[in-house]
Amino acid sequence: MSDRPMRPDRSAFRLFRPIATRWMDNDAYGHVNNVHYYSYFDSVVNGWLIEKGLLAIAESPVIGLVVESACTYFESVAFPDALEAGIAIAHLGRSSVRYRIGIFKSGAEQASAQGHFVHVYVDRGTQRPVEIPPKTRAMLSELL
């Protein structure tokens, strides 16, 4: 029996955001290098937070810091593939949130990769954990 996650389909995610691959994302093997998936995760979640008015990069008094991340790969993607990231909330705690992210080739039913990362919300000045702000919690709850 394997602990490897099952390959998810679109129904496992509540929100989708586009990702444009870049020439530089490909590695010597002709596919997107693993490090770029983590950048995709960060970009799609933080882009959504910014669009919803939940994060002002330079001034929010409470910010989410990534404390854990992982990715499982099911099939290669490569530039110039158009991608979509599916986002869902796997766990919403007092001061932390665990995002699940699926990377899909545009229009594909099954994910090419699936990952997660955990944000712990902290006071910008003290860097100590704080409760997730109510407005942020409400928006995150929509992705549960």
Side-chain angles (χ1 to χ4, degrees), residues 27-42:
D27 62 18
Y29 303 116
H31 61 256
V32 169
N33 187 270
N34 62 310
V35 71
H36 293 293
Y37 288 80
Y38 293 94
S39 176
Y40 298 159
F41 296 169
D42 220 10

Side-chain angles (χ1 to χ4, degrees), residues 40-113:
Y40 298 159
F41 296 169
D42 220 10
S43 294
V44 298
V45 169
N46 285 304
W48 179 78
L49 292 170
I50 291 165
E51 284 177 11
K52 294 297 183 183
L54 304 173
L55 173 63
I57 298 168
E59 42 199 63
S60 289
V62 174
I63 56 174
L65 300 180
V66 176
V67 298
E68 177 183 310
S69 61
C71 188
T72 302
Y73 308 93
F74 302 106
E75 74 174 315
S76 293
V77 300
F79 175 83
D81 289 336
L83 305 177
E84 298 172 279
I87 305 171
I89 302 299
H91 177 77
L92 185 56
R94 185 188 73 77
S95 62
S96 67
V97 57
R98 180 183 177 109
Y99 300 92
R100 280 189 335 108
I101 299 122
I103 302 297
F104 294 80
K105 290 181 181 175
S106 187
E109 191 55 35
Q110 289 193 304
S112 297

